[in-house]
Amino acid sequence: MRIESRAAAVAAAFLLLAIGAAIAPLSAQEDEAPRTLTPGKGSDLTTARCATCHDARHITRVKLSRGEWEYNIKNMKERGAPMEPHEIPVILDYLATYYNRDTPAPDPDPAASGYGLGGGDDPVVRLLNANACVACHTLEKRVVGPSFREVAAKFAGDGEAAAKLTRKIREGGAGNWGNVPMPPHPQLSDADLKQMVGWILQQK
């Protein structure tokens, strides 16, 4: 009995090691996946509809064929995802363009998302575009999240505005502007984050 128990324990240990080895690459892939969608035509709508239930990494960590994306969208719609029929082709075209395993993705295109800020010579605007901020925020219109002017108005007169907004952008979270979570942005340098926060708080 002792020998059988020892053999069972050894077998269980090897099984745990095997499972751990299989899970580790997936966890690493999850951690390394971008937390925002690539700016492009349809990225704003895709973020608005998919981020209601999913972290963006559910999309950015994988690449599927167009048919597989179509199946996934249909599945999500059947499960209650808030998509209108006319929105589905836009979302499918976006996913099949930027997250397709069969064809290389084009370069990010913030202007084509519908919410690009333009002003390509402005270094802060380039930062906002490059980090997909404009997929969820625009200057005046509320999209997935509040407009930059709404954010500035909320923090007006708050002596700790810069520190609070810096922490919010860095750490992400939900609840201040609704249920849709804002992803964290750990990749931003302190200098870039300071520039972005300063610019946002000036949009009054």
Side-chain angles (χ1 to χ4, degrees):
M1 291 294 292
R2 289 182 180 177
I3 294 175
E4 291 177 357
S5 297
R6 187 175 300 172
V10 171
F14 276 114
L15 179 60
L16 289 173
L17 287 173
I19 292 173
I23 291 175
L26 294 177
S27 299
Q29 185 181 24
E30 173 80 9
D31 291 339
E32 294 171 2
R35 294 173 181 268
T36 54
L37 300 185
T38 301
K41 184 178 180 180
S43 60
D44 51 336
L45 179 61
T46 304
T47 298
R49 298 297 176 260
C50 299
T52 303
C53 301
H54 297 292
D55 185 294
R57 288 175 295 177
H58 282 278
I59 294 173
T60 62
R61 68 182 176 180
V62 298
K63 290 189 176 182
L64 304 176
S65 68
R66 184 181 182 89
E68 288 167 335
W69 279 124
E70 186 173 18
Y71 173 82
N72 274 276
I73 293 171
K74 180 181 178 182
N75 191 1
M76 291 299 98
K77 175 64 175 173
E78 291 173 351
R79 289 169 178 252
M83 301 178 189
E84 297 297 328
H86 69 275
E87 295 174 335
I88 292 176
V90 178
I91 295 171
L92 175 58
D93 284 346
Y94 170 77
L95 294 173
T97 298
Y98 286 94
Y99 299 97
N100 193 322
R101 70 159 178 258
D102 299 324
T103 57
D107 292 333
D109 187 0
S113 70
Y115 298 100
L117 297 175
D121 293 334
D122 187 324
V124 179
V125 171
R126 287 203 301 270
L127 275 175
L128 295 169
N129 287 334
N131 288 280
C133 302
V134 294
C136 297
H137 306 278
T138 185
L139 185 59
E140 298 180 344
K141 179 181 177 182
R142 181 177 292 209
V143 190
V144 179
S147 70
F148 292 123
R149 286 185 174 167
E150 284 182 287
V151 175
K154 179 176 181 177
F155 285 108
D158 187 340
E160 298 182 3
K164 290 177 180 178
L165 187 54
T166 296
R167 184 166 56 251
K168 182 68 173 180
I169 296 172
R170 176 76 77 198
E171 298 176 1
N176 292 338
W177 300 92
N179 294 324
V180 177
M182 176 175 173
H185 295 77
Q187 79 282 2
L188 286 170
S189 69
D190 291 342
D192 286 347
L193 192 51
K194 183 177 180 180
Q195 278 191 299
M196 291 171 65
V197 168
W199 184 91
I200 292 169
L201 293 177
Q202 291 174 5
Q203 306 309 307
K204 301 175 182 179

